[in-house]
């Protein structure tokens, strides 16, 4: 492979220019600052000879404005609070007694959930988590509101969302948005609140107020394309919207993508495949709305021509010295680690399956390779899931001083290595044999969590039957990629549909339906501890998901027998 290393003196000034420009902009999608950021990005690309354009996509946005918590019988008690995107808009306030759900982070049986629902009805619930599925349960149980106590010690309050819909909702999705207000408070204030509740004989009554702006806006989506010798392309993406300045989430990712555009434009004559780079809006306040819009509007191109999606989110973070790779599993581990080893001298700390997030909106699009670099500090002191584990994630403190330019350059070089192989080498770094075995192992682990009535043996047998045909196809593909690689790509794409999705190619799972084989994950329960109503629904889901899985595996088998 002819690899040309990126040049620090050429690219770092450009990246830093963008970081400094974005560090003064609050780029929440739909805002003037966000639109200015998109225009600035396109103009920067054009100034370096790239043909960048602005797509326009309408998005449903939910912008948090204010949130507050007051205690009726303790007028001097105060705390800072924030509401969550897609929380209910309750400017008039709602009042009720507080109820602390001390086991909110623990698993419950269906019967326990039924008893829980009676306890929280009519209450403002205080809990140590605020994930969307929990909010959905609170809503169904007719709770009045939620106070989420952040679980690590930083005092800064994190912006987040409780919207369960991936991207723009359909008409039927709208009823899933929460009808109760949700706020978050920090750990220190949470402990003060719990102490007040503990030392007060009567129930403590509280009032929640939330203000949000829910609206439709047409947002800009910058795109640049660098053509290759074939019509195949790699999709590199990052979200350019942010909470507040969002310099590490995700101005650093935007800057890295700009650097890759400039770098590979200079090598365009030698590219076998093209490079398409997109900067998404709507990641933060539209629940991955921009990437979902793109999947909806470019589905055929993605399915026929896109060979990989690399998402870039929060590189170059202060103290984030350890490299982690999140990958679909179809990628060769040696390919993923080689780039990291060349730059850092050692492999990634770990390679793990992709979770729910990171604009992974393309599971039904037929793309075979999906992966992303993540990074963590040596010692993690915050429960922050982003910004390299930094406590400043999704806060006003995500500013320029949280960037480490040396780490950003490390991450830039790693991406250049990955992209060079994908854009130039004839054979894609697909390891379908290992991916198949990983899926078999994940299915076995899932089976151990299911009631015996929900047997996955038929699916397991189908996966076993594919072992030799896929090994043979992979050998042919690596030897004669021009003839066999497209079949291997379609095979892996169908395995992705099985492992990462529970619905068809034209819809999206809820934002919290994660884990391997997500359509079966809700069945991980003891049927003896469920109501007849729940048991019937679980049995129905099991039958439909089995049929879907077997149909996908039969499709793969038929293809391999041709």
């Amino acid at each position: 492979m002819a690899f040309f290393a990126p040049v620090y003196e050429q690219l770092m000034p450009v990246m830093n220019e963008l970081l400094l420009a974005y560090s003064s902009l609050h780029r929440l999608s739909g805002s003037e600052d966000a639109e200015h950021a998109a225009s600035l990005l396109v103009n920067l690309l054009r100034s370096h000879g790239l043909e960048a354009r602005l797509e326009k996509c309408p998005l449903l946005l939910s912008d948090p404005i204010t949130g507050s918590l007051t205690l009726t019988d303790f007028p001097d008690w105060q705390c800072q609070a924030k509401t969550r995107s897609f929380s209910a808009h309750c400017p008039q306030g709602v009042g009720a007694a507080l109820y602390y759900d001390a086991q909110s982070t623990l698993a419950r049986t269906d019967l326990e959930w039924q008893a829980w629902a009676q306890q929280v009805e009519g209450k403002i619930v205080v809990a140590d988590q605020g994930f969307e599925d929990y909010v959905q349960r609170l809503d169904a149980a007719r709770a009045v509101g939620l106070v989420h106590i952040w679980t690590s010690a930083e005092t800064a309050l994190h912006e987040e969302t409780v919207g369960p819909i991936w991207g723009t909702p359909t008409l039927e999705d709208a009823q899933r948005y929460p009808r109760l207000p949700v706020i978050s408070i920090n750990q220190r204030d949470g402990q003060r609140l719990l102490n007040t509740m503990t030392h007060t004989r009567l129930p403590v009554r509280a009032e929640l107020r939330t203000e949000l702006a829910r609206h439709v806006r047409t947002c800009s989506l910058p795109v640049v394309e660098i053509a290759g010798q074939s019509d195949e392309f790699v999709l590199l993406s990052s979200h350019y919207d942010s909470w507040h300045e969002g310099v590490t989430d995700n101005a650093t990712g935007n800057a890295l993508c700009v650097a890759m555009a400039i770098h590979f434009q200079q090598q365009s004559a030698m590219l076998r495949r093209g490079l398409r780079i997109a900067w998404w809006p709507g990641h933060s306040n539209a629940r991955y709305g921009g990437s979902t819009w793109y999947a909806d509007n470019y589905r055929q191109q993605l399915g026929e021509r896109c060979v990989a999606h690399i998402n870039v989110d929060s590189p170059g973070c202060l103290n984030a010295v350890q490299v982690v790779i999140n990958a679909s599993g179809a990628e060769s581990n040696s390919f993923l680690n080689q780039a990291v080893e060349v730059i850092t001298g050692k492999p990634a700390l770990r390679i793990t399956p992709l979770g729910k997030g990171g604009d992974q909106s393309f599971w039904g699009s037929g793309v075979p390779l999906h992966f992303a670099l993540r990074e963590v500090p040596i010692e993690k002191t915050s429960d922050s899931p982003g910004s390299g584990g930094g406590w400043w994630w999704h806060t006003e403190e995500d500013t320029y001083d949280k960037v480490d330019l040396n780490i950003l350059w490390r991450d830039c070089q790693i991406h250049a290595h990955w992209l060079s192989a994908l854009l130039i080498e004839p054979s894609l770094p697909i390891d379908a044999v290992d991916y198949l075995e990983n899926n078999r192992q994940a299915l076995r682990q899932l089976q151990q969590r299911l009631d015996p009535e929900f047997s996955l043996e038929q699916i397991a047998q189908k996966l076993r039957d594919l072992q030799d045909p896929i090994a043979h196809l992979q050998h042919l593909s690596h030897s004669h990629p021009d003839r066999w690689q497209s079949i291997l790509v379609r095979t892996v794409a169908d395995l992705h549909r099985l492992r990462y999705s529970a619905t068809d190619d034209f819809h999206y799972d809820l934002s919290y339906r994660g884990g391997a084989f997500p359509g079966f994950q809700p069945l991980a329960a003891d049927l003896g501890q469920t109501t007849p109503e729940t048991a019937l629904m679980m049995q129905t889901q099991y039958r439909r998901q089995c049929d879907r899985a077997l149909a996908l595996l039969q499709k793969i088998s038929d293809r391999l027998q041709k």
Side-chain angles (χ1 to χ4, degrees), residues 276-292:
R276 183 178 300 185
I277 307 178
W279 290 263
W280 310 126
H283 171 97
S284 303
N285 57 338
R287 198 45 140 169
Y288 315 119
S291 57
T292 305

Side-chain angles (χ1 to χ4, degrees), residues 266-479:
Q266 296 168 349
Q267 304 176 49
S268 59
M270 62 184 296
L271 301 185
R272 182 182 300 271
R273 301 179 182 90
L275 176 61
R276 183 178 300 185
I277 307 178
W279 290 263
W280 310 126
H283 171 97
S284 303
N285 57 338
R287 198 45 140 169
Y288 315 119
S291 57
T292 305
W293 179 90
Y294 199 82
D296 287 339
N297 285 271
Y298 289 89
R299 193 175 307 278
Q300 185 173 357
Q301 281 189 25
L302 291 164
E304 294 177 357
R305 296 166 48 194
C306 184
V307 300
H309 172 223
I310 306 174
N311 183 248
V312 185
D313 199 339
S314 300
C317 297
L318 188 68
N319 300 324
V321 297
Q322 301 187 102
V323 173
V324 174
I325 302 172
N326 292 347
S328 72
E331 302 79 11
S332 160
N333 280 0
S334 62
F335 158 75
L336 293 173
N337 265 325
Q338 182 183 24
V340 180
E341 289 189 59
V342 167
I343 301 305
T344 69
K346 56 185 177 181
L349 179 66
R350 57 182 179 270
I351 299 175
T352 59
L354 286 157
K356 295 291 287 188
D359 283 291
Q360 297 298 334
S361 303
F362 305 100
W363 294 120
S365 299
V367 180
L369 303 175
H370 306 250
F371 59 96
L373 180 146
R374 295 291 184 264
E375 52 195 28
V376 293
I378 293 176
E379 182 178 357
K380 197 170 187 293
T381 60
S382 169
D383 288 334
S384 156
S387 292
W391 60 265
W392 56 84
W393 169 82
H394 284 196
T395 76
E396 294 89 339
E397 303 300 324
D398 185 4
T399 46
Y400 182 82
D401 59 303
K402 307 306 188 302
V403 178
D404 186 317
L405 293 179
N406 290 326
I407 292 178
L408 180 58
W409 184 245
R410 175 202 68 184
D411 298 342
C412 187
Q413 292 174 288
I414 291 170
H415 281 83
H417 272 271
W418 280 335
L419 286 167
S420 290
L422 292 170
L423 296 173
I424 296 172
E425 293 289 348
S427 184
L428 293 170
I430 295 175
D431 191 341
V433 173
D434 190 52
Y435 185 40
L436 182 67
E437 179 54 35
N438 288 341
N439 280 325
R440 292 177 58 194
Q441 181 179 349
L443 193 74
R444 289 193 293 268
Q445 292 172 346
L446 177 61
Q447 180 70 84
Q448 294 171 1
R449 299 170 52 227
L450 302 187
D451 190 279
E453 182 171 326
F454 299 137
S455 172
L456 304 177
E457 177 53 33
Q458 279 186 289
I459 300 170
Q461 183 60 53
K462 286 282 189 182
L463 289 172
R464 287 194 293 270
D465 292 343
L466 290 175
Q467 187 170 1
D468 289 341
I470 283 181
H472 181 60
L473 174 61
Q474 182 163 297
H475 174 73
L476 292 173
S477 176
H478 289 174
S479 301

Side-chain angles (χ1 to χ4, degrees), residues 70 91 105 168 181 221 253 299 314 338 341 357 373 409 452 499 537 560:
T70 57
T105 60
T168 297
L221 195 164
R299 193 175 307 278
S314 300
Q338 182 183 24
E341 289 189 59
L373 180 146
W409 184 245
R499 181 182 175 114
M537 289 188 285
L560 298 182

Side-chain angles (χ1 to χ4, degrees), residues 175-192:
Q175 62 184 339
R176 290 189 176 273
Y177 285 114
R179 291 164 291 186
L180 77 166
V182 178
I183 67 164
S184 65
I185 62 177
N186 63 36
Q187 185 189 77
R188 181 187 61 191
D189 288 336
Q191 290 305 311
R192 289 199 300 119

